Amino acid sequence: FSGETSYEGSVKSGKDGGVFLNGATVDPVEGFIRQAMEVILDEAVRKATDVNEKVCEWRSPEQLKELLDLELKDEGESESKILQRCREAIRYSVKTSHPRFFNQLFAGLEPYSTVASFIIESIKTSLYTYEVAPVFTLMENAVLRKMIETIGWEEGGDGIFNPGGSMSNMYAMNLARYRYCPDWKEVGLYSAPRLVVFTSQESHYSISKAAALMGLGTKNVYMGAVPFMVNATAGTTVFGAFDPIEEIASVCEKHNLWLHVDACWGGAALMSKKHKHLLKGIHRVHSVSWNPHKMLMASLQCSAFLVRDKTSLLQRCHSARASYLFQQDKFYDVSYDTGDKSVQCSRKPDAFKLWLMWKALGSRELEQRVDRALAMARYLTQEIKKRDGFQLLMEPEFANMCFWYIPPSLRKLPEGPELWTKLHAVAPVIKERMMKTGSMMIGYQTHGDKPNFFRMVVISPQVSRQDLDFVLEEIHHLGQDL
């Protein structure tokens, strides 16, 4: 190549500054993916759902740092070593699909949405325009229409999937504010009146977070000057309680207030003829947050924000009209480009997880999933009432059971400060013991002036009555000496 410039020579040789230009630089490594999938199926699916396996392989942070060798280095590791890293990551993670995981408002392995998650990661697209995500754009639209129908908005509506219920609630607050004073989007809130949000003490903390993020201030969430929005909760995080939507809707209609329902947890009851009365009046509200990754068991994360308005309010509120994405002279119907409704740019096609699951199971099976979860909750409630040393805080309204375990040493103490002080220390010790043995996982907390109690949530159809019996027996086993 004498006589050629160094750049021309490097191009012809397939190099530029020592970097190869010819051929693919990233090998799909099909063999590695195949081997990794076997690891996933064996460790994260088969073993993680086996009741005879541990819910978690507990290690302290310092122990785990040593076991995982977290340092990132200049040179890569062998495939066999990386496969071992995958096994370790699964081994020391909490198995939320285990039949005895009751710690969160999600649980269990849902096979169809899990496969959908694999496909989403393999396709690796973003849901902002039809041109880059044609299949998933249509699927999201179909799922939103079905959810809107389920809510009871007969004239239709709008919506968007986004990363979690907290974000859905923030969408609601931003939309309500935009409706109240649309010029804020451009001029800001410098000359605006003081606005407040009405909600209950039991509402999700994301309502306060949204007020902080939007500049309203957390002190303006419960009381204040000019209300522009009311947030009702359908299924509170701790007690699973439902606000009276019908009555609240009547007040909001009278005063022209935006009514949002945080149904992230309780929205699943809409799928059940037997239990949808819990959300009576929801067809009258302006917006709804609903997380199918909770009781319906879609893979994390799968969260929908739904709005009754059909006049493009969602888009007008959030659009920035990015010219490199949302050209109006495209060769197809640009109404399918939904990205300008979102505060995000890149957005995963999470609706596919719900779409594939709903296709596979049908509405009837999803209804049975809800009915079974609540039936199991009723069974556990009755068992708690039968057993010495167990005491309910209140009769559950949904699938949340809140109860104390009172060890034999405390059962003769009268109700009062001494009992509450000693009882407060019981749940944390039992939680530590169950985590370290790996036998199960249940949350605990305090509420107001009440001492620590267990909050247990039943969701997964993989849970049997024997598992619920085991929970009560194991709590007694782990705490009877306290």
Side-chain angles (χ1 to χ4, degrees), residues 19 28 102 117 125 128 146 171 175 191 219 224 266 273-274 338 405 434 473 481:
V19 178
F102 304 101
S117 298
T125 192
Y128 35 55
K146 189 66 176 177
Y171 269 104
L175 222 58
S191 60
K219 289 186 176 180
K273 299 183 202 64
K274 187 175 182 179
T338 57
Y405 170 70
M434 74 172 71
E473 291 159 7
D481 63 327

Side-chain angles (χ1 to χ4, degrees), residues 148-362:
I148 286 167
E149 176 189 318
T150 304
I151 288 171
W153 291 335
E154 295 180 357
E155 296 182 1
D158 200 356
I160 195 167
F161 276 75
N162 55 80
S166 293
M167 183 64 75
S168 294
N169 290 336
M170 291 176 188
Y171 269 104
M173 193 175 292
N174 199 37
L175 222 58
R177 183 177 67 174
Y178 180 78
R179 172 180 176 260
Y180 186 82
C181 38
D183 59 325
W184 278 24
K185 181 179 176 181
E186 294 182 353
V187 302
L189 27 99
Y190 301 105
S191 60
R194 181 185 175 199
L195 299 184
V196 301
V197 178
F198 291 160
T199 190
S200 77
Q201 292 284 352
E202 299 300 317
S203 65
H204 195 261
Y205 65 86
S206 60
I207 302 301
S208 292
K209 285 173 65 178
L213 185 66
M214 293 168 56
L216 299 175
T218 57
K219 289 186 176 180
N220 292 324
V221 172
Y222 303 114
M223 60 191 70
V226 183
F228 72 103
M229 170 181 158
V230 174
N231 174 73
T233 308
T236 59
T237 305
V238 180
F239 297 128
F242 288 73
D243 286 335
I245 298 171
E246 193 87 79
E247 290 86 343
I248 297 171
S250 296
V251 175
C252 290
E253 287 168 1
K254 179 179 178 180
H255 296 283
N256 194 29
L257 293 173
W258 183 284
L259 176 54
H260 172 68
V261 174
D262 176 355
C264 289
W265 173 221
L270 290 168
M271 302 298 298
S272 167
K273 299 183 202 64
K274 187 175 182 179
H275 299 290
K276 66 180 180 181
H277 66 88
L278 292 167
L279 296 100
K280 184 182 179 184
I282 197 168
H283 64 285
R284 299 171 63 186
V285 313
H286 295 88
S287 59
V288 175
S289 299
W290 181 359
N291 286 2
H293 68 235
K294 292 187 174 176
M295 186 168 282
L296 295 185
M297 294 181 58
S299 293
L300 283 167
Q301 53 200 9
C302 187
S303 176
F305 173 67
L306 305 149
V307 59
R308 194 174 68 187
D309 178 87
K310 298 188 304 177
T311 65
S312 303
L313 182 67
L314 191 59
Q315 178 148 346
R316 284 184 281 120
C317 179
H318 299 117
S319 68
R321 299 174 183 171
S323 60
Y324 70 95
L325 276 179
F326 307 117
Q327 304 93 333
Q328 297 302 295
D329 54 356
K330 292 180 179 179
F331 60 93
Y332 60 84
D333 182 355
V334 296
S335 67
Y336 287 101
D337 289 353
T338 57
D340 226 12
K341 297 178 184 179
S342 171
V343 295
Q344 302 167 249
C345 182
S346 296
R347 189 166 62 91
K348 285 186 142 186
D350 292 324
F352 179 49
K353 303 168 193 174
L354 180 56
W355 182 89
L356 194 66
M357 182 178 78
W358 208 323
K359 270 287 192 183
L361 300 175

